[in-house]
Amino acid sequence: MSLKIAIQGIKGSNHHQVAKDYFGNDIELVECLSFDALVDRLLSKEADQGVMAIENSIAGSIIPNYALINRNDLHIIGEYYLNIHHNLMMLKGQKIEDITEVSSHPMALLQCKEYFRQYPHIKLVEDVDTAETAKRIQEQKLKHVAAIAPNVAAELYGLDIVANDIQTIQNNATRFIIVKTKNNVLPEAEITKASLRFITDHKRGSLAAVLNVMSDCRLNLTKIQSLPVIETPWKYSFFVDVTFTDYADFTKAKSLLNIMAEDFKVLGEYKNVRQ
């Protein structure tokens, strides 16, 4: 039986590409138009695993997704880095001069903002997904409207690409995480990365003390993100990613952090794909 993989977006989106690259073609795609809907599909067991974008090399972190993972007790079981290529596409026969409106996901618009400075008359409209806009253009035969989407969307929905790679920075990559409701236990020898969440005391040096423990235990901090604790104004939780070569070092750090930090939680233990 094929794995049911929930993605944010529809066929032709970057999430769809990651699902294919990570799991192969023998999957059943569960399309979701929001990350909240993706989580709901996992919790209701309508999907086995989910693909979720978590950060982009240009636009930064997708902060609400950290809260979604924590609040719903999801487990991160893997990661995947995708080089992003944003292409401008329209109905066949249309030219770039015909465009009056470009519709796409807010992150895609943000990453291509500089390109549209040369076209001040074009209205940029936020939409739920890159590929969904491409699909709608084809279904409704929308003239004068363009989508920003991956190559695969143009192929799926029969659109012409009128401009390739319009992202501001050509070296543009997004990190995706693979999530599920139960932990995927890998052999300890294969675990070289972990995602953690904790709260520190509101005292001077509290965060520094925690970071020192990580350093002393030979963990390499690759990501740190703070998020307000909604129930307690001016209190912050920290989401961090760490890498390591010896799982024993991580085990030692976990036992110390469990004592030192408040609400310490391991969100996932998995393989570091960027060595």
Side-chain angles (χ1 to χ4, degrees), residues 109-170:
L109 293 173
L110 182 64
Q111 291 165 22
C112 302
K113 205 161 115 184
E114 287 301 312
Y115 176 82
F116 291 105
R117 286 186 183 276
Q118 62 189 308
Y119 302 108
H121 67 283
I122 292 178
K123 183 182 177 186
L124 302 180
V125 180
E126 293 186 358
D127 212 330
V128 290
D129 179 55
T130 51
E132 199 275 335
T133 304
K135 183 181 180 184
R136 193 171 68 250
I137 289 172
Q138 177 56 38
E139 286 180 345
Q140 299 179 16
K141 307 297 180 202
L142 298 177
K143 294 182 177 179
H144 312 296
V145 179
I148 300 170
N151 274 336
V152 66
E155 294 165 13
L156 273 172
Y157 304 118
L159 301 182
D160 278 348
I161 293 176
V162 293
N164 288 287
D165 285 322
I166 64 170
Q167 62 270 14
T168 303
I169 299 171
Q170 291 305 304

Side-chain angles (χ1 to χ4, degrees), residues 98-112:
D98 300 322
I99 300 173
T100 57
E101 182 181 300
V102 170
S103 183
S104 195
H105 190 276
M107 291 289 271
L109 293 173
L110 182 64
Q111 291 165 22
C112 302

